[in-house]
Structures are given as structure tokens and as C-alpha cells.
Amino acid sequence: MKEKVELLNDICKNTLVENLGIVFTASGEDWLEARMPIDSRTCRPDGALHGGANMALAETVGGALSTMLQPEGERFRVFGIEVNGNHVKQARGTSVTARGYFLHRGRRTQVVQVEIRDEYGTLVTINRVTNMVV
């Protein structure tokens, strides 16, 4: 069986996730990480990382975390019902890494905190993603 991050990367082919260059890189018992480049796909015209790209990264990690921790063999779908974020610093370098972990893991509603840091470890954006599992 493929590792979870490999499976997530496979199912994201030909989607917004792949188009933004987002790659899942690591996972644990109740957390997930992904990396996104800082390049022409994710930047504003002035070269700064676009806040909307950060929000897409956060929702991607939050939704994938809820999805990967559902019981195998059960039919379910995960829908993001709210995402919010605070951009606290401009990203530097060539990529950012998002790490998501659960604040609340209910049967039907889950809340994931996603911290996005640049390659120097500086906190760039803090997000909260609320998912509904149906």
C-alpha cells in the first residue's frame, strides 16, 4: 500500500493543487505537511506570495488531513465549510510549508489549524479550516 503522502499527491494530479505546485511532503498520526513554491503560479504581479495562494494551500492541507484520517472502507466526503487566515509576514525564499493539525476532531465536523512558514521558519500565515464530513 502506498504511503499516505504518495496517495494524496497521486489523487491531486490535474487539479488546482498540482497547478499551484503543492506537494504533500510528510504526515503523522494526526498532522499533515505540504510545500508550495513561491513562483509565477503563486505570486502577485509585484513578486510577493499571493494571500489567496496561501489560503488555497491551507484549505488543501486541512481538507486532506480530514480525508486521510477517515476510517478505511467507509464512504464519505469532506467539504470545507469555512477557512480563515491571518497573513502576518511576507514570505521569503523559494517555498512555503504548511503544517496542519486538529483543534477539534468530531465525527461530522472537524477544525484544523494550519501554520504556513517560509523556508527560514518564519510564520507567514495562520489559518483555521472547518470541514464537514458527510
Side-chain angles (χ1 to χ4, degrees):
M1 183 174 166
K2 287 187 177 183
E3 283 199 34
K4 291 178 182 182
V5 293
E6 289 179 56
L7 182 60
L8 289 170
N9 287 322
D10 284 349
I11 64 174
C12 289
K13 290 190 186 308
N14 299 312
T15 68
L16 173 75
V17 176
E18 183 179 53
N19 288 331
L20 290 177
I22 297 170
V23 176
F24 295 98
T25 56
S27 68
E29 181 74 22
D30 59 354
W31 60 271
L32 179 65
E33 281 186 357
R35 187 179 61 252
M36 182 177 71
I38 300 173
D39 64 16
S40 62
R41 297 170 288 180
T42 60
C43 286
R44 305 180 322 191
D46 66 1
L49 182 61
H50 196 290
N54 271 350
M55 298 302 283
L57 175 59
E59 188 164 10
T60 297
V61 169
L65 179 59
S66 286
T67 298
M68 78 177 213
L69 292 182
Q70 295 308 308
E72 287 189 41
E74 265 189 42
R75 288 190 59 133
F76 64 88
R77 291 188 70 188
V78 173
F79 295 93
I81 58 174
E82 184 201 5
V83 60
N84 67 60
N86 295 96
H87 307 296
V88 294
K89 197 110 175 166
Q90 184 171 335
R92 298 174 311 154
T94 60
S95 67
V96 290
T97 299
R99 183 180 179 115
Y101 57 90
F102 285 106
L103 294 177
H104 167 72
R105 186 176 176 199
R107 210 174 99 236
R108 295 286 175 223
T109 307
Q110 300 174 349
V111 181
V112 178
Q113 181 158 308
V114 180
E115 296 178 1
I116 300 174
R117 295 180 183 273
D118 67 16
E119 63 189 59
Y120 303 101
T122 304
L123 181 65
V124 174
T125 304
I126 186 78
N127 302 81
R128 190 174 60 235
V129 179
T130 304
N131 295 315
M132 180 171 284
V133 181
V134 293

